[in-house]
Amino acid sequence: NKLIVKRRPSKTGRKSTVDQNKITDVKVLNLHKLVEKAGSASNFAKKAHVSMGNLSMILHGKKSFGNLAAKRMEQRLSLEPGWFNIPR
């Protein structure tokens, strides 16, 4: 019998395990850059007022990052409208 251990999100600021070269959605790529700039996903989640669960699912491609979600995040972070749609 193997012991299965579920990993919890790191609060130490470790690097993402997502290969950004495989991401094709510009909004998600820009989100990854903002998370990296914040130092960790948990820091970014607090700053953007989003749950770690939702953020993690978006970053790992398990949940879509639609236009409405991007617009709301732009407003929360005081970014210009359409910021997520422009390749950075």
Side-chain angles (χ1 to χ4, degrees):
N1 292 343
K2 291 184 178 181
L3 177 64
I4 298 173
V5 179
K6 291 185 179 185
R7 289 186 176 191
R8 292 184 180 204
S10 173
K11 293 185 180 183
T12 61
R14 82 183 149 107
K15 296 290 181 189
S16 172
T17 57
V18 176
D19 184 357
Q20 292 185 20
N21 294 322
K22 293 183 180 180
I23 299 171
T24 57
D25 186 344
V26 173
K27 291 190 298 278
V28 176
L29 281 170
N30 287 337
L31 182 60
H32 274 277
K33 291 176 183 179
L34 287 177
V35 169
E36 197 172 287
K37 187 177 177 182
S40 71
S42 61
N43 286 345
F44 180 80
K46 289 174 190 170
K47 183 177 178 181
H49 304 285
V50 296
S51 74
M52 264 303 297
N54 280 337
L55 179 61
S56 179
M57 286 190 288
I58 292 168
L59 293 174
H60 289 88
K62 308 282 186 198
K63 184 174 183 173
S64 67
F65 188 43
N67 291 328
L68 182 59
K71 181 180 178 179
R72 287 179 179 160
M73 197 170 290
E74 288 165 350
Q75 291 171 341
R76 289 183 195 130
L77 298 170
S78 300
L79 299 171
E80 64 187 65
W83 189 94
F84 281 104
N85 297 317
I86 302 168
R88 310 261 168 205

